[in-house]
Amino acid sequence: MFKLTFLGTSSGVPTRHRNVTSLALQTTHNRDWWMIDCGEATQHQLQRIALSVHDLVGICITHVHGDHSYGLPGLLASASMTGRKKPLLLIAPAAVKAWIDATLLHTELFLTYPLIHIDVDSAQVVHQEAGLTVSRHALSHRAPSVAYRFALETTKWKMDKAALLAAGVPPGPAWGVLQAGQDATLDDGTVLSAATFRQVDTERATVVIGGDNDTPSLLADACADAQLLVHEATYTEAMLQKVGPGPTHSSVQRVAQFAESARLPKLILTHFSARYHNADGMAELEAEARLHYTGTLFLARDFDTYELDATGKLSKLAAADGRVRVAASH
């Protein structure tokens, strides 16, 4: 029901192999997609995947810091220069919108589409459409930061064949009429109501994507019925203690302990300090996570793609090295 592609997984600054933060989120029933955060050079990252900026519904910014927002002006400009016409949602702090307005004014940037700003502090539910609700949840960081909760619900119906057979209606033309959603009349004049022989199947999936945050437990309510949490894990616990309270980030241990206590079945960690951007560093992060969390765990890399289906299965579809992999787990 959801597909997630990581466009940037580094904290603070880019490295040779990781860009700064951005995530593409698709619902698997159409081509529309959302972007959560837009660090510098995000539009370059988009050149390497199949998503089009013309199918982008909205951009959700978790907080004002540059590694989460400096890619916005270029991305908005490129969308305009390639002919985008339909409106684009920008769910972001008011300060981000003021900065974008100043950039438009002082660089003679004229957008060819409406940019619709929704102040992230205006309401808890920041967007709602048929089957999808997006809400924001306050976090703890040195700048006001939020997580976004994407709750998707799809309802399908199919003809109840067992009920028809039980009612003595064998396969035939009436079944086709009922399958089309219309009442059917049998040869003896009996009217079969389509509503009577309909099975409704509702599928739900919820993903919570956190911004920078030093207190994972603030997401307890948002994660209550979620299948997947994506959260920053900038440092190990030992390094977090060494750098002190100033950065106001989470350690791997603290995120893992929260996810375990909240009984979250799936956890993807991201937003790693540059000091861990080698095999030994990532192994250290993973070891700490697995020490405190027993659910399905991934440490994201740029261009990793994951799919969460309605059964709660999380599959890794593509890896950062470009090879297609399917590593599924319930």
Side-chain angles (χ1 to χ4, degrees):
M1 296 182 73
F2 283 113
K3 186 180 290 185
L4 303 89
T5 301
F6 286 83
L7 301 173
T9 58
S10 181
S11 69
V13 296
T15 72
R16 290 183 62 189
H17 303 291
R18 294 179 185 269
N19 198 43
V20 285
T21 301
S22 186
L23 171 65
L25 180 69
Q26 300 165 261
T27 56
T28 54
H29 63 278
N30 59 38
R31 296 174 59 184
D32 292 346
W33 63 284
W34 291 77
M35 178 180 289
I36 299 88
D37 284 333
C38 186
E40 181 184 358
T42 292
Q43 66 169 319
H44 292 271
Q45 301 291 85
L46 282 175
Q47 302 301 312
R48 296 178 58 182
I49 64 174
L51 294 178
S52 168
V53 71
H54 295 277
D55 298 319
L56 178 60
V57 175
I59 303 173
C60 301
I61 301 297
T62 60
H63 64 292
V64 300
H65 286 158
D67 59 325
H68 295 255
S69 65
Y70 280 172
L72 270 173
L75 181 71
L76 298 177
S78 292
S80 187
M81 294 178 70
T82 55
R84 182 183 175 112
K85 300 297 182 183
K86 66 181 181 181
L88 177 64
L89 298 177
L90 175 62
I91 304 174
V96 170
K97 180 58 165 59
W99 166 55
I100 292 299
D101 287 342
T103 302
L104 294 173
L105 175 64
H106 294 294
T107 63
E108 296 187 359
L109 173 57
F110 303 100
L111 299 182
T112 58
Y113 54 89
L115 183 64
I116 302 172
H117 175 236
I118 299 172
D119 187 343
V120 73
D121 295 321
S122 62
Q124 183 167 6
V125 175
V126 291
H127 178 76
Q128 198 161 26
E129 62 184 66
L132 178 65
T133 300
V134 184
S135 56
R136 65 106 178 113
H137 302 265
L139 302 176
S140 174
H141 191 49
R142 63 184 184 273
S145 181
V146 302
Y148 289 99
R149 181 181 187 272
F150 288 80
L152 184 64
E153 180 176 301
T154 61
T155 299
K156 302 177 182 179
W157 71 269
K158 62 181 180 180
M159 188 174 60
D160 190 342
K161 297 179 181 179
L164 283 168
L165 292 173
V169 182
W175 281 38
V177 175
L178 292 169
Q179 182 64 46
Q182 301 174 0
D183 295 346
T185 303
L186 301 180
D187 293 340
D188 63 3
T190 301
V191 177
L192 303 177
S193 170
T196 302
F197 298 97
R198 175 178 294 184
Q199 289 180 320
V200 177
D201 182 24
T202 300
E203 298 178 337
R204 297 180 179 87
T206 299
V207 175
V208 178
I209 301 168
D212 288 0
N213 175 37
D214 64 11
T215 309
S217 61
L218 290 171
L219 287 171
D221 289 342
C223 292
D225 59 351
Q227 289 81 37
L228 171 63
L229 170 64
V230 178
H231 198 283
E232 62 113 329
T234 307
Y235 307 110
T236 61
E237 179 64 22
M239 184 56 65
L240 183 62
Q241 294 292 337
K242 184 176 180 179
V243 300
T248 60
H249 285 296
S250 283
S251 70
V252 173
Q253 175 179 316
R254 296 181 189 188
V255 180
Q257 287 177 331
F258 164 71
E260 185 74 12
S261 65
R263 297 184 178 180
L264 274 161
K266 312 288 186 298
L267 175 64
I268 301 178
L269 301 178
T270 184
H271 195 273
F272 306 114
S273 168
R275 58 174 45 86
Y276 302 108
H277 288 186
N278 56 48
D280 290 342
M282 295 307 296
E284 182 182 2
L285 296 177
E286 182 172 359
E288 181 168 297
R290 294 195 182 280
L291 185 64
H292 299 281
Y293 179 67
T294 58
T296 299
L297 171 71
F298 290 101
L299 278 66
R301 298 180 298 170
D302 287 21
F303 307 110
D304 280 356
T305 298
Y306 302 87
E307 185 171 83
L308 179 71
D309 70 16
T311 70
K313 182 175 72 173
L314 182 65
S315 303
K316 185 175 182 179
L317 302 182
D321 57 14
R323 291 180 293 171
V324 175
R325 299 174 181 170
V326 178
S329 180
H330 288 277

